[in-house]
Amino acid sequence: MPDIAFANGVFLPLAEATVSVEDRGYQFGDGVYELLRVYGGVPLRPLDHLARLERSARALGIALPFDTARWTSVHTYSVTLVPTVVITVRALTPPAESLYTDGTDIVTVPDLRWSRCDIKSLNLLANVLAKQQARNAGAFEAVFVRDGFVLEGATSNVMAVHRGSLVTPPEGPLLLSGVTRHLTLQLAREAGISIAERPLTEAELYTAAEVLLTGTTIEILPVGRINGRCIGEGFPGPITKELMARFRKLRA
Ligand code: PLP
């Protein structure tokens, strides 16, 4: 599959796509973005991603140049665009299968971000640093902790299983409303698994029967170790396994 870009109304090879050095997104991080995954040519939950793009743009006062119909059927445009619009399409290298069978390593990090993490903006410096800290520790993901409460990963949402219930921090300004988070909760409801969207402490992560991450590129990923401490018994745990199976059916 060729790497494709759509930059301000024009399709071109990704390597030829450019953005002006004067672009505010480049200079100030004044921009928003989305990332969605395509299975066999069919995007998963495109309208949820577009709705979040609109919410993020509205929060920053950016007028999106396309309405939903146009975003979903990108052709050629004659309109004069004000915000820089870039879409890229690339083949995904999914995480190694062993992460799904053995459970992944995560580390906890203090949350250095601002108080509008629900906006999917280009300001990802704290996320980048946290992810690097995870990599340096040989872990896959860093999970942000603020005042003792777990919020989300640098590029994922976090869930834990406590007394048979799937617990995840509630949506709000301190975390991104993940499309995969939403989908996973929906799958859990369909499976009759009880759900608690409530604050989750760091201490509760260590005593959880199962911990999992959700995200567009990772789907549902079981966590095996947090800061080197083992979680639960064996991977993936029964609830994670059930959710992973349901997710795989959904995209088949
Ligand atoms: N939280 C953060 C900070 C993210 O950057 C992401 C995705 O990149 C997610 C959560 C997961 O969101 P989604 O499931 O929509 O990919």
Side-chain angles (χ1 to χ4, degrees):
M1 190 188 85
D3 292 344
I4 302 167
F6 172 87
N8 284 329
V10 180
F11 282 104
L12 68 176
L14 180 61
E16 290 170 27
T18 55
V19 172
S20 164
V21 291
E22 290 285 13
D23 187 84
R24 288 177 59 89
Y26 171 69
Q27 292 187 332
F28 310 120
D30 184 4
V32 295
Y33 74 105
E34 264 310 314
L35 183 147
L36 58 115
R37 194 161 166 184
V38 178
Y39 295 94
V42 183
L44 187 69
R45 297 287 164 132
L47 296 183
D48 289 355
H49 284 281
L50 282 175
R52 187 172 62 187
L53 183 69
E54 276 169 15
R55 285 199 306 275
S56 297
R58 204 175 312 122
L60 298 191
I62 297 172
L64 289 183
F66 309 150
D67 60 17
T68 302
R70 272 197 160 178
W71 283 114
T72 48
S73 60
V74 169
H75 297 307
T76 349
Y77 295 92
S78 55
V79 286
T80 308
L81 303 174
V82 182
T84 298
V85 175
V86 176
I87 302 173
T88 58
V89 182
R90 275 178 285 167
L92 173 79
T93 309
E97 194 51 36
S98 60
L99 293 183
Y100 293 90
T101 51
D102 304 344
T104 187
D105 280 84
I106 65 172
V107 292
T108 54
V109 295
D111 194 355
L112 304 178
R113 301 172 304 163
W114 68 331
S115 46
R116 287 302 307 273
C117 303
D118 55 317
I119 300 173
K120 198 160 171 61
S121 88
L122 298 179
N123 291 267
L124 292 172
L125 189 53
N127 305 54
V128 168
L129 293 175
K131 199 88 184 177
Q132 193 54 46
Q133 202 174 321
R135 292 280 147 84
N136 292 346
F140 177 81
E141 178 65 305
V143 168
F144 292 116
V145 175
R146 202 182 281 215
D147 302 326
F149 291 98
V150 174
L151 292 167
E152 63 178 333
T155 58
S156 60
N157 290 108
V158 182
M159 300 186 182
V161 175
H162 259 284
R163 296 188 199 95
S165 198
L166 188 64
V167 183
T168 195
E171 291 180 313
L174 296 183
L175 59 93
L176 188 75
S177 299
V179 171
T180 321
R181 172 190 181 281
H182 186 78
L183 200 50
T184 304
L185 292 178
Q186 192 180 313
L187 293 174
R189 253 175 236 118
E190 286 166 16
I193 297 164
S194 86
I195 291 165
E197 290 183 74
R198 60 148 175 93
L200 181 67
T201 65
E202 182 175 4
E204 282 181 297
L205 270 196
Y206 296 115
T207 56
E210 302 174 37
V211 174
L212 50 136
L213 304 175
T214 66
T216 295
T217 51
I218 57 171
E219 303 177 338
I220 297 170
L221 188 58
V223 172
R225 290 149 303 276
I226 303 173
N227 298 327
R229 285 161 69 168
C230 287
I231 302 303
E233 302 157 10
F235 309 106
I239 288 185
T240 310
K241 213 172 186 165
E242 174 71 28
L243 293 171
M244 287 165 75
R246 282 175 183 260
F247 193 97
R248 289 198 170 161
K249 250 188 242 157
L250 187 91
R251 62 158 169 83

PDB file of all heavy atoms in Angstrom, residues 144-152 158-160 162-163 166-172 174-175 181 195-205:
ATOM      1  N   PHE A 144      -0.401   8.050  33.206  1.00  0.00           N
ATOM      2  CA  PHE A 144      -0.349   9.296  33.979  1.00  0.00           C
ATOM      3  C   PHE A 144      -1.109   9.159  35.297  1.00  0.00           C
ATOM      4  O   PHE A 144      -2.249   8.670  35.324  1.00  0.00           O
ATOM      5  CB  PHE A 144      -0.967  10.445  33.181  1.00  0.00           C
ATOM      6  CG  PHE A 144      -0.174  10.850  31.982  1.00  0.00           C
ATOM      7  CD1 PHE A 144      -0.688  10.713  30.700  1.00  0.00           C
ATOM      8  CD2 PHE A 144       1.111  11.387  32.136  1.00  0.00           C
ATOM      9  CE1 PHE A 144       0.052  11.102  29.587  1.00  0.00           C
ATOM     10  CE2 PHE A 144       1.852  11.779  31.028  1.00  0.00           C
ATOM     11  CZ  PHE A 144       1.324  11.627  29.746  1.00  0.00           C
ATOM     12  N   VAL A 145      -0.472   9.625  36.385  1.00  0.00           N
ATOM     13  CA  VAL A 145      -1.091   9.615  37.711  1.00  0.00           C
ATOM     14  C   VAL A 145      -1.080  11.037  38.242  1.00  0.00           C
ATOM     15  O   VAL A 145      -0.047  11.706  38.217  1.00  0.00           O
ATOM     16  CB  VAL A 145      -0.318   8.683  38.675  1.00  0.00           C
ATOM     17  CG1 VAL A 145      -0.891   8.766  40.090  1.00  0.00           C
ATOM     18  CG2 VAL A 145      -0.338   7.250  38.163  1.00  0.00           C
ATOM     19  N   ARG A 146      -2.266  11.529  38.651  1.00  0.00           N
ATOM     20  CA  ARG A 146      -2.370  12.871  39.214  1.00  0.00           C
ATOM     21  C   ARG A 146      -3.016  12.761  40.593  1.00  0.00           C
ATOM     22  O   ARG A 146      -4.093  12.173  40.713  1.00  0.00           O
ATOM     23  CB  ARG A 146      -3.241  13.741  38.288  1.00  0.00           C
ATOM     24  CG  ARG A 146      -3.001  15.234  38.443  1.00  0.00           C
ATOM     25  CD  ARG A 146      -3.932  16.024  37.534  1.00  0.00           C
ATOM     26  NE  ARG A 146      -3.491  16.059  36.137  1.00  0.00           N
ATOM     27  CZ  ARG A 146      -3.663  17.113  35.327  1.00  0.00           C
ATOM     28  NH1 ARG A 146      -4.241  18.208  35.783  1.00  0.00           N
ATOM     29  NH2 ARG A 146      -3.275  17.066  34.073  1.00  0.00           N
ATOM     30  N   ASP A 147      -2.363  13.278  41.618  1.00  0.00           N
ATOM     31  CA  ASP A 147      -2.890  13.227  42.997  1.00  0.00           C
ATOM     32  C   ASP A 147      -3.299  11.807  43.399  1.00  0.00           C
ATOM     33  O   ASP A 147      -4.336  11.603  44.044  1.00  0.00           O
ATOM     34  CB  ASP A 147      -4.104  14.167  43.155  1.00  0.00           C
ATOM     35  CG  ASP A 147      -3.758  15.602  42.804  1.00  0.00           C
ATOM     36  OD1 ASP A 147      -2.601  16.011  43.063  1.00  0.00           O
ATOM     37  OD2 ASP A 147      -4.621  16.319  42.248  1.00  0.00           O
ATOM     38  N   GLY A 148      -2.507  10.833  42.982  1.00  0.00           N
ATOM     39  CA  GLY A 148      -2.785   9.440  43.378  1.00  0.00           C
ATOM     40  C   GLY A 148      -3.792   8.730  42.484  1.00  0.00           C
ATOM     41  O   GLY A 148      -4.012   7.528  42.633  1.00  0.00           O
ATOM     42  N   PHE A 149      -4.405   9.459  41.541  1.00  0.00           N
ATOM     43  CA  PHE A 149      -5.408   8.847  40.660  1.00  0.00           C
ATOM     44  C   PHE A 149      -4.840   8.591  39.267  1.00  0.00           C
ATOM     45  O   PHE A 149      -4.195   9.466  38.678  1.00  0.00           O
ATOM     46  CB  PHE A 149      -6.662   9.717  40.561  1.00  0.00           C
ATOM     47  CG  PHE A 149      -7.440   9.752  41.836  1.00  0.00           C
ATOM     48  CD1 PHE A 149      -7.307  10.813  42.731  1.00  0.00           C
ATOM     49  CD2 PHE A 149      -8.270   8.690  42.166  1.00  0.00           C
ATOM     50  CE1 PHE A 149      -8.011  10.827  43.925  1.00  0.00           C
ATOM     51  CE2 PHE A 149      -8.980   8.693  43.359  1.00  0.00           C
ATOM     52  CZ  PHE A 149      -8.848   9.759  44.240  1.00  0.00           C
ATOM     53  N   VAL A 150      -5.136   7.418  38.753  1.00  0.00           N
ATOM     54  CA  VAL A 150      -4.716   7.023  37.408  1.00  0.00           C
ATOM     55  C   VAL A 150      -5.664   7.684  36.418  1.00  0.00           C
ATOM     56  O   VAL A 150      -6.884   7.652  36.614  1.00  0.00           O
ATOM     57  CB  VAL A 150      -4.856   5.492  37.272  1.00  0.00           C
ATOM     58  CG1 VAL A 150      -4.584   5.041  35.850  1.00  0.00           C
ATOM     59  CG2 VAL A 150      -3.934   4.794  38.247  1.00  0.00           C
ATOM     60  N   LEU A 151      -5.111   8.256  35.341  1.00  0.00           N
ATOM     61  CA  LEU A 151      -5.988   8.919  34.374  1.00  0.00           C
ATOM     62  C   LEU A 151      -6.043   8.164  33.046  1.00  0.00           C
ATOM     63  O   LEU A 151      -7.085   7.711  32.623  1.00  0.00           O
ATOM     64  CB  LEU A 151      -5.545  10.365  34.181  1.00  0.00           C
ATOM     65  CG  LEU A 151      -5.782  11.203  35.452  1.00  0.00           C
ATOM     66  CD1 LEU A 151      -5.064  12.523  35.384  1.00  0.00           C
ATOM     67  CD2 LEU A 151      -7.274  11.414  35.658  1.00  0.00           C
ATOM     68  N   GLU A 152      -4.901   8.045  32.397  1.00  0.00           N
ATOM     69  CA  GLU A 152      -4.850   7.349  31.096  1.00  0.00           C
ATOM     70  C   GLU A 152      -3.388   7.144  30.737  1.00  0.00           C
ATOM     71  O   GLU A 152      -2.488   7.639  31.419  1.00  0.00           O
ATOM     72  CB  GLU A 152      -5.543   8.180  30.014  1.00  0.00           C
ATOM     73  CG  GLU A 152      -4.869   9.525  29.748  1.00  0.00           C
ATOM     74  CD  GLU A 152      -5.531  10.336  28.642  1.00  0.00           C
ATOM     75  OE1 GLU A 152      -6.155   9.747  27.745  1.00  0.00           O
ATOM     76  OE2 GLU A 152      -5.402  11.573  28.680  1.00  0.00           O
ATOM     77  N   VAL A 158      -6.965   3.468  30.126  1.00  0.00           N
ATOM     78  CA  VAL A 158      -6.629   2.386  31.075  1.00  0.00           C
ATOM     79  C   VAL A 158      -7.895   1.859  31.739  1.00  0.00           C
ATOM     80  O   VAL A 158      -8.779   2.640  32.096  1.00  0.00           O
ATOM     81  CB  VAL A 158      -5.694   2.923  32.188  1.00  0.00           C
ATOM     82  CG1 VAL A 158      -5.288   1.802  33.147  1.00  0.00           C
ATOM     83  CG2 VAL A 158      -4.469   3.561  31.596  1.00  0.00           C
ATOM     84  N   MET A 159      -7.940   0.546  31.899  1.00  0.00           N
ATOM     85  CA  MET A 159      -9.055  -0.086  32.639  1.00  0.00           C
ATOM     86  C   MET A 159      -8.482  -1.148  33.566  1.00  0.00           C
ATOM     87  O   MET A 159      -7.413  -1.703  33.289  1.00  0.00           O
ATOM     88  CB  MET A 159     -10.027  -0.769  31.668  1.00  0.00           C
ATOM     89  CG  MET A 159     -10.636   0.191  30.678  1.00  0.00           C
ATOM     90  SD  MET A 159     -11.902  -0.581  29.660  1.00  0.00           S
ATOM     91  CE  MET A 159     -12.319   0.824  28.613  1.00  0.00           C
ATOM     92  N   ALA A 160      -9.213  -1.420  34.655  1.00  0.00           N
ATOM     93  CA  ALA A 160      -8.779  -2.463  35.594  1.00  0.00           C
ATOM     94  C   ALA A 160      -9.984  -3.298  35.968  1.00  0.00           C
ATOM     95  O   ALA A 160     -11.116  -2.819  35.940  1.00  0.00           O
ATOM     96  CB  ALA A 160      -8.176  -1.823  36.836  1.00  0.00           C
ATOM     97  N   HIS A 162     -11.745  -5.161  38.990  1.00  0.00           N
ATOM     98  CA  HIS A 162     -11.782  -5.250  40.450  1.00  0.00           C
ATOM     99  C   HIS A 162     -13.057  -5.941  40.855  1.00  0.00           C
ATOM    100  O   HIS A 162     -14.144  -5.494  40.497  1.00  0.00           O
ATOM    101  CB  HIS A 162     -11.741  -3.839  41.069  1.00  0.00           C
ATOM    102  CG  HIS A 162     -10.393  -3.479  41.563  1.00  0.00           C
ATOM    103  ND1 HIS A 162      -9.875  -3.983  42.727  1.00  0.00           N
ATOM    104  CD2 HIS A 162      -9.426  -2.678  41.041  1.00  0.00           C
ATOM    105  CE1 HIS A 162      -8.659  -3.504  42.898  1.00  0.00           C
ATOM    106  NE2 HIS A 162      -8.352  -2.712  41.883  1.00  0.00           N
ATOM    107  N   ARG A 163     -12.934  -7.019  41.590  1.00  0.00           N
ATOM    108  CA  ARG A 163     -14.108  -7.804  42.043  1.00  0.00           C
ATOM    109  C   ARG A 163     -15.066  -8.060  40.879  1.00  0.00           C
ATOM    110  O   ARG A 163     -16.277  -7.817  40.977  1.00  0.00           O
ATOM    111  CB  ARG A 163     -14.845  -7.077  43.171  1.00  0.00           C
ATOM    112  CG  ARG A 163     -13.987  -6.939  44.433  1.00  0.00           C
ATOM    113  CD  ARG A 163     -14.771  -6.387  45.608  1.00  0.00           C
ATOM    114  NE  ARG A 163     -13.856  -5.864  46.597  1.00  0.00           N
ATOM    115  CZ  ARG A 163     -13.494  -4.596  46.684  1.00  0.00           C
ATOM    116  NH1 ARG A 163     -13.955  -3.713  45.830  1.00  0.00           N
ATOM    117  NH2 ARG A 163     -12.643  -4.195  47.608  1.00  0.00           N
ATOM    118  N   LEU A 166     -15.432  -4.069  35.615  1.00  0.00           N
ATOM    119  CA  LEU A 166     -14.466  -3.347  34.779  1.00  0.00           C
ATOM    120  C   LEU A 166     -14.487  -1.873  35.188  1.00  0.00           C
ATOM    121  O   LEU A 166     -15.499  -1.195  35.024  1.00  0.00           O
ATOM    122  CB  LEU A 166     -14.863  -3.510  33.306  1.00  0.00           C
ATOM    123  CG  LEU A 166     -13.886  -3.000  32.255  1.00  0.00           C
ATOM    124  CD1 LEU A 166     -12.562  -3.772  32.306  1.00  0.00           C
ATOM    125  CD2 LEU A 166     -14.500  -3.129  30.854  1.00  0.00           C
ATOM    126  N   VAL A 167     -13.362  -1.417  35.752  1.00  0.00           N
ATOM    127  CA  VAL A 167     -13.304  -0.056  36.301  1.00  0.00           C
ATOM    128  C   VAL A 167     -12.436   0.812  35.400  1.00  0.00           C
ATOM    129  O   VAL A 167     -11.342   0.402  34.999  1.00  0.00           O
ATOM    130  CB  VAL A 167     -12.683  -0.072  37.725  1.00  0.00           C
ATOM    131  CG1 VAL A 167     -12.685   1.335  38.331  1.00  0.00           C
ATOM    132  CG2 VAL A 167     -13.415  -1.044  38.622  1.00  0.00           C
ATOM    133  N   THR A 168     -12.912   2.004  35.089  1.00  0.00           N
ATOM    134  CA  THR A 168     -12.105   2.928  34.293  1.00  0.00           C
ATOM    135  C   THR A 168     -12.420   4.352  34.722  1.00  0.00           C
ATOM    136  O   THR A 168     -13.561   4.654  35.091  1.00  0.00           O
ATOM    137  CB  THR A 168     -12.336   2.705  32.773  1.00  0.00           C
ATOM    138  OG1 THR A 168     -11.309   3.366  32.026  1.00  0.00           O
ATOM    139  CG2 THR A 168     -13.687   3.219  32.310  1.00  0.00           C
ATOM    140  N   PRO A 169     -11.414   5.241  34.729  1.00  0.00           N
ATOM    141  CA  PRO A 169     -11.677   6.619  35.141  1.00  0.00           C
ATOM    142  C   PRO A 169     -12.741   7.263  34.254  1.00  0.00           C
ATOM    143  O   PRO A 169     -12.792   6.985  33.052  1.00  0.00           O
ATOM    144  CB  PRO A 169     -10.324   7.317  34.959  1.00  0.00           C
ATOM    145  CG  PRO A 169      -9.318   6.220  34.907  1.00  0.00           C
ATOM    146  CD  PRO A 169     -10.012   5.021  34.355  1.00  0.00           C
ATOM    147  N   PRO A 170     -13.612   8.085  34.843  1.00  0.00           N
ATOM    148  CA  PRO A 170     -14.692   8.692  34.059  1.00  0.00           C
ATOM    149  C   PRO A 170     -14.165   9.719  33.069  1.00  0.00           C
ATOM    150  O   PRO A 170     -13.093  10.305  33.280  1.00  0.00           O
ATOM    151  CB  PRO A 170     -15.566   9.362  35.122  1.00  0.00           C
ATOM    152  CG  PRO A 170     -14.664   9.587  36.282  1.00  0.00           C
ATOM    153  CD  PRO A 170     -13.605   8.527  36.238  1.00  0.00           C
ATOM    154  N   GLU A 171     -14.929   9.941  31.996  1.00  0.00           N
ATOM    155  CA  GLU A 171     -14.556  10.980  31.031  1.00  0.00           C
ATOM    156  C   GLU A 171     -14.605  12.338  31.728  1.00  0.00           C
ATOM    157  O   GLU A 171     -15.354  12.533  32.678  1.00  0.00           O
ATOM    158  CB  GLU A 171     -15.540  10.971  29.861  1.00  0.00           C
ATOM    159  CG  GLU A 171     -15.401   9.734  29.001  1.00  0.00           C
ATOM    160  CD  GLU A 171     -16.379   9.743  27.839  1.00  0.00           C
ATOM    161  OE1 GLU A 171     -17.559  10.021  28.071  1.00  0.00           O
ATOM    162  OE2 GLU A 171     -15.932   9.470  26.709  1.00  0.00           O
ATOM    163  N   GLY A 172     -13.798  13.250  31.250  1.00  0.00           N
ATOM    164  CA  GLY A 172     -13.738  14.581  31.847  1.00  0.00           C
ATOM    165  C   GLY A 172     -12.550  15.312  31.262  1.00  0.00           C
ATOM    166  O   GLY A 172     -11.891  14.788  30.344  1.00  0.00           O
ATOM    167  N   LEU A 174      -9.586  15.701  32.203  1.00  0.00           N
ATOM    168  CA  LEU A 174      -8.235  15.200  32.457  1.00  0.00           C
ATOM    169  C   LEU A 174      -7.857  13.967  31.640  1.00  0.00           C
ATOM    170  O   LEU A 174      -6.772  13.408  31.814  1.00  0.00           O
ATOM    171  CB  LEU A 174      -8.052  14.917  33.952  1.00  0.00           C
ATOM    172  CG  LEU A 174      -8.151  16.158  34.844  1.00  0.00           C
ATOM    173  CD1 LEU A 174      -7.885  15.808  36.296  1.00  0.00           C
ATOM    174  CD2 LEU A 174      -7.180  17.259  34.380  1.00  0.00           C
ATOM    175  N   LEU A 175      -8.769  13.532  30.756  1.00  0.00           N
ATOM    176  CA  LEU A 175      -8.378  12.427  29.871  1.00  0.00           C
ATOM    177  C   LEU A 175      -9.119  12.504  28.546  1.00  0.00           C
ATOM    178  O   LEU A 175     -10.150  13.166  28.441  1.00  0.00           O
ATOM    179  CB  LEU A 175      -8.585  11.067  30.547  1.00  0.00           C
ATOM    180  CG  LEU A 175      -9.969  10.673  31.029  1.00  0.00           C
ATOM    181  CD1 LEU A 175     -10.713   9.877  29.978  1.00  0.00           C
ATOM    182  CD2 LEU A 175      -9.839   9.819  32.291  1.00  0.00           C
ATOM    183  N   ARG A 181     -12.002   3.091  24.017  1.00  0.00           N
ATOM    184  CA  ARG A 181     -12.525   3.015  25.401  1.00  0.00           C
ATOM    185  C   ARG A 181     -14.041   2.835  25.353  1.00  0.00           C
ATOM    186  O   ARG A 181     -14.601   1.954  25.992  1.00  0.00           O
ATOM    187  CB  ARG A 181     -12.150   4.310  26.147  1.00  0.00           C
ATOM    188  CG  ARG A 181     -12.770   4.473  27.523  1.00  0.00           C
ATOM    189  CD  ARG A 181     -12.525   5.890  28.064  1.00  0.00           C
ATOM    190  NE  ARG A 181     -13.077   6.070  29.384  1.00  0.00           N
ATOM    191  CZ  ARG A 181     -14.367   6.297  29.635  1.00  0.00           C
ATOM    192  NH1 ARG A 181     -15.244   6.373  28.634  1.00  0.00           N
ATOM    193  NH2 ARG A 181     -14.792   6.438  30.877  1.00  0.00           N
ATOM    194  N   ILE A 195     -19.747  -2.597  34.904  1.00  0.00           N
ATOM    195  CA  ILE A 195     -18.825  -1.502  34.577  1.00  0.00           C
ATOM    196  C   ILE A 195     -18.907  -0.445  35.662  1.00  0.00           C
ATOM    197  O   ILE A 195     -19.998  -0.110  36.126  1.00  0.00           O
ATOM    198  CB  ILE A 195     -19.250  -0.869  33.224  1.00  0.00           C
ATOM    199  CG1 ILE A 195     -19.002  -1.851  32.092  1.00  0.00           C
ATOM    200  CG2 ILE A 195     -18.537   0.443  32.970  1.00  0.00           C
ATOM    201  CD1 ILE A 195     -19.711  -1.451  30.825  1.00  0.00           C
ATOM    202  N   ALA A 196     -17.770   0.102  36.052  1.00  0.00           N
ATOM    203  CA  ALA A 196     -17.777   1.243  36.980  1.00  0.00           C
ATOM    204  C   ALA A 196     -16.872   2.320  36.402  1.00  0.00           C
ATOM    205  O   ALA A 196     -15.658   2.139  36.316  1.00  0.00           O
ATOM    206  CB  ALA A 196     -17.288   0.803  38.353  1.00  0.00           C
ATOM    207  N   GLU A 197     -17.476   3.414  35.954  1.00  0.00           N
ATOM    208  CA  GLU A 197     -16.685   4.566  35.499  1.00  0.00           C
ATOM    209  C   GLU A 197     -16.528   5.460  36.725  1.00  0.00           C
ATOM    210  O   GLU A 197     -17.423   6.209  37.076  1.00  0.00           O
ATOM    211  CB  GLU A 197     -17.398   5.283  34.354  1.00  0.00           C
ATOM    212  CG  GLU A 197     -17.408   4.468  33.074  1.00  0.00           C
ATOM    213  CD  GLU A 197     -18.046   5.210  31.913  1.00  0.00           C
ATOM    214  OE1 GLU A 197     -17.417   6.140  31.365  1.00  0.00           O
ATOM    215  OE2 GLU A 197     -19.181   4.848  31.554  1.00  0.00           O
ATOM    216  N   ARG A 198     -15.400   5.281  37.390  1.00  0.00           N
ATOM    217  CA  ARG A 198     -15.164   6.012  38.638  1.00  0.00           C
ATOM    218  C   ARG A 198     -13.660   6.240  38.796  1.00  0.00           C
ATOM    219  O   ARG A 198     -12.843   5.573  38.149  1.00  0.00           O
ATOM    220  CB  ARG A 198     -15.720   5.222  39.826  1.00  0.00           C
ATOM    221  CG  ARG A 198     -15.091   3.832  39.991  1.00  0.00           C
ATOM    222  CD  ARG A 198     -15.032   3.415  41.441  1.00  0.00           C
ATOM    223  NE  ARG A 198     -14.552   2.069  41.664  1.00  0.00           N
ATOM    224  CZ  ARG A 198     -13.284   1.746  41.895  1.00  0.00           C
ATOM    225  NH1 ARG A 198     -12.323   2.671  41.863  1.00  0.00           N
ATOM    226  NH2 ARG A 198     -12.946   0.487  42.122  1.00  0.00           N
ATOM    227  N   PRO A 199     -13.261   7.204  39.664  1.00  0.00           N
ATOM    228  CA  PRO A 199     -11.829   7.426  39.856  1.00  0.00           C
ATOM    229  C   PRO A 199     -11.130   6.136  40.287  1.00  0.00           C
ATOM    230  O   PRO A 199     -11.679   5.348  41.053  1.00  0.00           O
ATOM    231  CB  PRO A 199     -11.791   8.485  40.963  1.00  0.00           C
ATOM    232  CG  PRO A 199     -13.124   9.164  40.885  1.00  0.00           C
ATOM    233  CD  PRO A 199     -14.095   8.114  40.439  1.00  0.00           C
ATOM    234  N   LEU A 200      -9.937   5.935  39.758  1.00  0.00           N
ATOM    235  CA  LEU A 200      -9.166   4.709  39.995  1.00  0.00           C
ATOM    236  C   LEU A 200      -7.826   5.127  40.596  1.00  0.00           C
ATOM    237  O   LEU A 200      -7.106   5.933  39.991  1.00  0.00           O
ATOM    238  CB  LEU A 200      -8.970   4.012  38.640  1.00  0.00           C
ATOM    239  CG  LEU A 200      -8.234   2.701  38.564  1.00  0.00           C
ATOM    240  CD1 LEU A 200      -9.021   1.588  39.264  1.00  0.00           C
ATOM    241  CD2 LEU A 200      -8.017   2.298  37.091  1.00  0.00           C
ATOM    242  N   THR A 201      -7.495   4.607  41.771  1.00  0.00           N
ATOM    243  CA  THR A 201      -6.216   5.013  42.390  1.00  0.00           C
ATOM    244  C   THR A 201      -5.075   4.160  41.843  1.00  0.00           C
ATOM    245  O   THR A 201      -5.295   3.045  41.347  1.00  0.00           O
ATOM    246  CB  THR A 201      -6.259   4.864  43.927  1.00  0.00           C
ATOM    247  OG1 THR A 201      -6.391   3.469  44.227  1.00  0.00           O
ATOM    248  CG2 THR A 201      -7.391   5.661  44.553  1.00  0.00           C
ATOM    249  N   GLU A 202      -3.867   4.698  42.000  1.00  0.00           N
ATOM    250  CA  GLU A 202      -2.685   3.943  41.558  1.00  0.00           C
ATOM    251  C   GLU A 202      -2.591   2.648  42.365  1.00  0.00           C
ATOM    252  O   GLU A 202      -2.282   1.586  41.821  1.00  0.00           O
ATOM    253  CB  GLU A 202      -1.420   4.792  41.725  1.00  0.00           C
ATOM    254  CG  GLU A 202      -0.192   4.056  41.228  1.00  0.00           C
ATOM    255  CD  GLU A 202       1.084   4.886  41.258  1.00  0.00           C
ATOM    256  OE1 GLU A 202       1.043   6.036  41.744  1.00  0.00           O
ATOM    257  OE2 GLU A 202       2.113   4.366  40.799  1.00  0.00           O
ATOM    258  N   ALA A 203      -2.894   2.737  43.669  1.00  0.00           N
ATOM    259  CA  ALA A 203      -2.820   1.543  44.531  1.00  0.00           C
ATOM    260  C   ALA A 203      -3.749   0.450  44.002  1.00  0.00           C
ATOM    261  O   ALA A 203      -3.401  -0.743  44.026  1.00  0.00           O
ATOM    262  CB  ALA A 203      -3.199   1.918  45.960  1.00  0.00           C
ATOM    263  N   GLU A 204      -4.914   0.846  43.495  1.00  0.00           N
ATOM    264  CA  GLU A 204      -5.870  -0.144  42.980  1.00  0.00           C
ATOM    265  C   GLU A 204      -5.350  -0.867  41.733  1.00  0.00           C
ATOM    266  O   GLU A 204      -5.766  -1.980  41.443  1.00  0.00           O
ATOM    267  CB  GLU A 204      -7.193   0.538  42.623  1.00  0.00           C
ATOM    268  CG  GLU A 204      -8.074   0.842  43.812  1.00  0.00           C
ATOM    269  CD  GLU A 204      -9.373   1.484  43.361  1.00  0.00           C
ATOM    270  OE1 GLU A 204      -9.310   2.593  42.781  1.00  0.00           O
ATOM    271  OE2 GLU A 204     -10.431   0.889  43.569  1.00  0.00           O
ATOM    272  N   LEU A 205      -4.476  -0.195  41.004  1.00  0.00           N
ATOM    273  CA  LEU A 205      -3.910  -0.846  39.803  1.00  0.00           C
ATOM    274  C   LEU A 205      -3.112  -2.079  40.213  1.00  0.00           C
ATOM    275  O   LEU A 205      -3.171  -3.117  39.573  1.00  0.00           O
ATOM    276  CB  LEU A 205      -2.968   0.102  39.060  1.00  0.00           C
ATOM    277  CG  LEU A 205      -3.510   1.016  37.982  1.00  0.00           C
ATOM    278  CD1 LEU A 205      -2.355   1.552  37.138  1.00  0.00           C
ATOM    279  CD2 LEU A 205      -4.521   0.326  37.081  1.00  0.00           C
TER     280      LEU A 205
END
